[in-house]
């Protein structure tokens, strides 16, 4: 998702992503370390968890866009999964900024999805896909709860649901 968004949106985005994924050599080559904010769960790596929020705060205060994926993982069924609590609230508590809800459609049966096996580990079924990115109106920070953002992303996603 970060690769699609990063390529489609003209303004540079710093993406928050799992520390293990972000540290893969191919990720360092594709994204470059300056565009990735690695994170781990607080239980798995408390230092990486806290450092991620320090980096997010710095990027926001410097005027950068920060992209987060509140589901925390790739979808297992091609649909929007539930949003995890904690990250969005923690960011907005420290830096109340508007949030842009975004839905990406068209990746479910691609090489990047979990359909038919692990992402990036199976033979690609196709080399071209019609991908749709739908961006909602900015949500003011005082209204940007996990429940509201999840609802808005689900509504955006329904405009162009994945089709087999």
């Amino acid at each position: 998702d970060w690769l699609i968004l990063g390529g489609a949106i003209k303004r540079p985005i710093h993406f928050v992503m799992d520390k293990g994924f972000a540290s893969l050599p191919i990720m360092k080559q594709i994204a470059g370390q300056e565009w990735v904010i690695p994170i781990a769960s607080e239980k798995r790596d408390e230092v990486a968890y806290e450092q991620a929020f320090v980096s997010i705060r710095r990027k926001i205060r410097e005027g950068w866009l920060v992209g987060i994926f509140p589901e925390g993982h790739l979808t297992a069924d091609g649909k929007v999964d539930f949003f995890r609590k904690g990250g969005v609230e923690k960011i907005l508590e420290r830096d109340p900024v508007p949030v842009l809800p975004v839905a990406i459609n068209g990746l479910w049966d691609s090489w990047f999805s979990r359909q038919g096996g692990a992402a990036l580990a199976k033979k690609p079924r196709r080399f071209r896909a019609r991908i749709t990115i739908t961006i909602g109106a900015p949500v003011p920070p005082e209204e940007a709860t996990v429940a509201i953002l999840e609802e808005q992303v689900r509504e955006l996603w329904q405009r162009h649901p994945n089709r087999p």
Side-chain angles (χ1 to χ4, degrees):
D1 293 355
W2 66 269
L3 188 59
I4 300 298
L5 290 174
I9 297 174
K10 292 180 182 180
R11 188 169 168 196
I13 306 170
H14 292 268
F15 288 101
V16 179
M17 62 179 69
D18 181 79
K19 178 183 170 184
F21 185 70
S23 65
L24 294 172
I26 191 155
M27 284 301 302
K28 292 177 182 178
Q29 287 180 318
I30 294 172
Q33 288 305 104
E34 67 272 11
W35 298 105
V36 174
I37 300 171
I39 194 166
S41 71
E42 192 170 18
K43 288 180 183 178
R44 196 173 92 208
D45 187 338
E46 189 175 342
V47 172
Y49 177 80
E50 287 303 326
Q51 184 56 46
F53 286 99
V54 168
S55 296
I56 291 166
R57 181 174 219 182
R58 186 177 68 249
K59 296 300 180 187
I60 288 172
R61 289 182 175 204
E62 290 173 356
W64 293 99
L65 291 179
V66 174
I68 65 169
F69 301 97
E71 292 169 294
H73 58 267
L74 293 175
T75 178
D77 62 4
K79 297 178 181 162
V80 177
D81 203 347
F82 72 92
F83 282 22
R84 294 180 182 194
K85 296 185 182 232
V88 172
E89 292 97 341
K90 190 169 183 169
I91 292 167
L92 295 176
E93 189 177 284
R94 295 176 178 189
D95 293 290
V97 293
V99 179
L100 288 174
V102 177
I104 303 173
N105 300 80
L107 290 174
W108 174 236
D109 62 348
S110 75
W111 190 51
F112 300 99
S113 76
R114 288 185 172 173
Q115 185 184 36
L120 308 174
K122 59 196 171 290
K123 183 179 177 183
R125 293 178 39 173
R126 60 185 176 161
F127 291 98
R128 293 181 57 155
R130 175 167 288 184
I131 297 168
T132 305
I133 299 170
T134 311
I135 302 173
V139 179
E142 61 276 5
E143 296 174 22
T145 65
V146 170
I148 287 172
L149 294 171
E150 181 179 330
E151 178 183 331
Q152 288 194 4
V153 169
R154 287 180 187 281
E155 288 173 7
L156 294 171
W157 187 85
Q158 282 298 325
R159 294 181 190 176
H160 307 279
N162 293 321
R163 291 184 173 65

